[in-house]
Amino acid sequence: MTIPFDPTLAAFRFGVGLGPSAPGPASVQAMIASLSGPDLAAERYPIAGMEETDPSMAEFRFAAAARRAARGTPEVEELRKKEGEFRQAMNVTRRNDHLRTIARAVTTDDGLRERLTLFWADHFAVRAKTFAFRSMIAPYVTDAIRPHVVGRFSDMVVAATLHPAMLHYLDQWVSVGPNSTVGQKRGFGLNENLARELLELHLFGADGPFTQRDVTELAELLTGVTYDFRQGFAYRTDRAEPGAEVVMGRRYSAEADLQTVKSALVDLATRPEVADHIASKLVVHFVSDLPDPTLVASLAGVFRETGGDLLAVTQAMLSHPAAWIAHRSKVRRPDLFVMASLRALGVDGDDILNMRPADYRDWMVRPLQVMGQPYQAPSGPDGWPEDAESWITPQGLAGRINWAMGAPRVMVDPLPDPRDFVQTALGPDAPAEVTFAASSAETRSEGIGLVLTSPAFQRI
């Protein structure tokens, strides 16, 4: 099939925007070649996985436990100071990981990888329910999401489902088989959160071919899986519900272990019904809130034929004419708006990493919250909304305008000439009205802000 490839549309819809030295991909083949190659952005701006993150969550939790145990003793003040030092260090780690994430998007030649990472991290959304996990969300993406965006979907399902961040967020760590050794002794019970979201959100959709009984049986199968900051990730047979489980027609051994759980996750992730849900979500995210049925069917077919090869599915999306409709109905969500703006301004990645804490707070953290997307805090396990109406709100628009009028002059000195910037940010076919507004602005700051707040920049 012949597609109406457009470098500017490719950079907007499937990337993180244009920049002074990034005019847009040359072709679909070039995009797939970059995606298939080494992850250069992650190499340049590495983010540690959970096991390598310093300070570790366990260190903080041990410090907090020691301080609580020493309550009322002379040592408590020193232990409280130590706990505070860990808390501050973990905040620094979280900030630096956020800045590295932004630097990757701003400087990469492989914008599609950044977009896919954001999409899949949102598909398997987690958030921190305690302070100890706040600095573990970016490592979760490093561990469970980014390595698999060009791999097999089933591998990502296993990695995300069994990651400590997911186990804690969806309360798997407190789920115990009622008839297990621990359950009978302590009266602990089954928690179905992870099993339910796995089936409803991650695999099949809310109207998928499963029943409440399947949710319960899967929850029972998962009961041995847990995480404890003292022992780390583990499969504990004394917490596992005894007996065989039957999930969506397939029976799993009464002598379940971690490999049984992984096999069940792979079985579920490779069922043919999963393809339609994943294909629809991809098309809705990248192309239109009203997905073209032929495009969804094409992606679903490739997903089924390849057993969930995500590189092949991505290539199928980029190779379909319906993915290249000229009308841009999607709206850049706030994090992408900020990343694309910095990219258009030509901000250097190292300058982002060296941003003053006050500037990070004033121009990254607070604005994202005002725009409706507080950092790493989706409202639920279904992640961020896709529809344009959720982002184009009075408060959200005000936040975007304030950011566009103020942040550029903090990030770039001197600001580019708006008459040049309009072509850099919007491409050679920038709308005449935006070009005129930029050239007529009284100040450079105002001209840059007008370009960044224009519908032509906001829509993808």
Side-chain angles (χ1 to χ4, degrees), residues 236-250:
R236 289 182 49 182
T237 56
D238 61 340
R239 296 167 62 101
E241 180 70 4
E245 312 295 345
V246 179
V247 182
M248 298 185 71
R250 182 161 294 189

Side-chain angles (χ1 to χ4, degrees), residues 3-6 9-10 13-14 28 317-318 320-326:
I3 62 169
F5 181 83
D6 175 13
L9 185 59
R13 182 167 291 163
F14 302 110
V28 168
M317 178 170 63
L318 298 179
H320 198 287
W324 297 91
I325 54 173

Side-chain angles (χ1 to χ4, degrees), residues 332-347:
R332 277 180 168 140
R333 69 188 200 189
D335 58 349
L336 285 171
F337 164 65
V338 170
M339 292 171 180
S341 299
L342 297 175
R343 185 175 176 86
L345 289 162
V347 177

Side-chain angles (χ1 to χ4, degrees), residues 184-256:
Q184 289 180 325
K185 285 183 177 179
R186 303 181 188 176
F188 292 165
L190 188 68
N191 189 292
E192 296 184 350
N193 287 356
L194 179 58
R196 186 176 307 282
E197 305 307 352
L198 184 63
L199 297 178
E200 286 192 358
L201 296 178
H202 303 158
L203 297 177
F204 300 105
D207 58 350
F210 58 88
T211 66
Q212 172 57 42
R213 187 61 201 164
D214 291 315
V215 173
T216 300
E217 295 271 317
L218 180 57
E220 290 175 351
L221 183 63
L222 291 170
T223 46
V225 176
T226 190
Y227 175 82
D228 180 272
F229 78 92
R230 294 180 177 85
Q231 300 177 349
F233 173 84
Y235 184 90
R236 289 182 49 182
T237 56
D238 61 340
R239 296 167 62 101
E241 180 70 4
E245 312 295 345
V246 179
V247 182
M248 298 185 71
R250 182 161 294 189
R251 184 181 186 276
Y252 295 96
S253 170
E255 303 299 326

Side-chain angles (χ1 to χ4, degrees), residues 283-364:
V283 176
V284 166
H285 178 80
F286 283 98
V287 183
S288 174
D289 293 340
L290 300 173
D292 184 299
T294 65
L295 178 55
V296 174
S298 177
L299 269 61
V302 172
F303 188 101
R304 280 189 285 266
E305 291 166 8
T306 63
D309 182 330
L310 295 182
L311 179 62
V313 172
T314 302
Q315 184 168 7
M317 178 170 63
L318 298 179
S319 302
H320 198 287
W324 297 91
I325 54 173
H327 178 62
R328 302 180 188 177
S329 62
K330 302 292 297 181
V331 171
R332 277 180 168 140
R333 69 188 200 189
D335 58 349
L336 285 171
F337 164 65
V338 170
M339 292 171 180
S341 299
L342 297 175
R343 185 175 176 86
L345 289 162
V347 177
D348 183 76
D350 290 346
D351 289 341
I352 292 173
L353 262 59
N354 294 324
M355 187 181 299
R356 296 187 313 151
D359 288 337
Y360 169 72
R361 181 191 64 235
D362 293 343
W363 298 110
M364 296 296 171

